[in-house]
Amino acid sequence: SHASWASYLNITNGTLTNTGTITTAASNTGAHIRGNLTSSGTLTFNGNTYFDKAGAAYINSGTLAIAASKTLFVQGASTTLNIQSGSTLNNSGTIQVDTGSTLTLGYAYTNANAINLNAGNLTLSGTLTNTGTLTSSTGAITGTINNTTGTINLTGDTNNASLTLNN
């Protein structure tokens, strides 16, 4: 059995355009999507999934679903995940944005689970309502957060000069 092997989708030139469905298996070993991806279709991540090519742009205008107890990792210098206005984000797990990477939410969003900024950045076009957990260690948050019943952990040298926090 090869159940312990990771999967790799390497986009070596240009941009992969998804108008259908991309699904990752329910696995802890991970699926790596390496390269520019523009999706107006459905991305369903049933296992830990990595957007991990430095400088790559991952753009979602469709549906992005992350399964419970699984993590979408955004990694690599200048790697961006842009969840555009009009799209749907169903985060039942965790989004982790690592060093030098940026998550942009293009609309008002309610975070009921977990967003971790591990020296990564979060840019909000609309208000983020936090009922889950938002953690930032040495990352930067730009935008407005309404913290209703959630938990916000800001640690380290966090640069939040452009953050409005309503608690």
Side-chain angles (χ1 to χ4, degrees), residues 35-118:
N36 296 316
L37 171 66
T38 298
S39 179
S40 60
T42 301
L43 301 172
T44 302
F45 299 149
N46 294 315
N48 292 332
T49 303
Y50 299 80
F51 287 165
D52 60 351
K53 183 174 182 181
Y58 300 89
I59 300 169
N60 182 63
S61 62
T63 298
L64 171 58
I66 303 163
S69 302
K70 300 303 175 186
T71 301
L72 171 59
F73 296 90
V74 182
Q75 301 175 323
S78 300
T79 299
T80 60
L81 170 56
N82 184 341
I83 300 174
Q84 297 185 329
S85 176
S87 65
T88 301
L89 174 60
N90 297 319
N91 178 20
S92 296
T94 300
I95 299 173
Q96 179 163 317
V97 185
D98 288 328
T99 304
S101 297
T102 300
L103 167 62
T104 299
L105 293 172
Y107 59 94
Y109 175 71
T110 297
N111 175 46
N113 286 290
I115 297 174
N116 296 331
L117 305 176
N118 182 25

Side-chain angles (χ1 to χ4, degrees), residues 26-39:
S27 162
N28 287 324
T29 56
H32 299 258
I33 300 174
R34 294 184 168 163
N36 296 316
L37 171 66
T38 298
S39 179

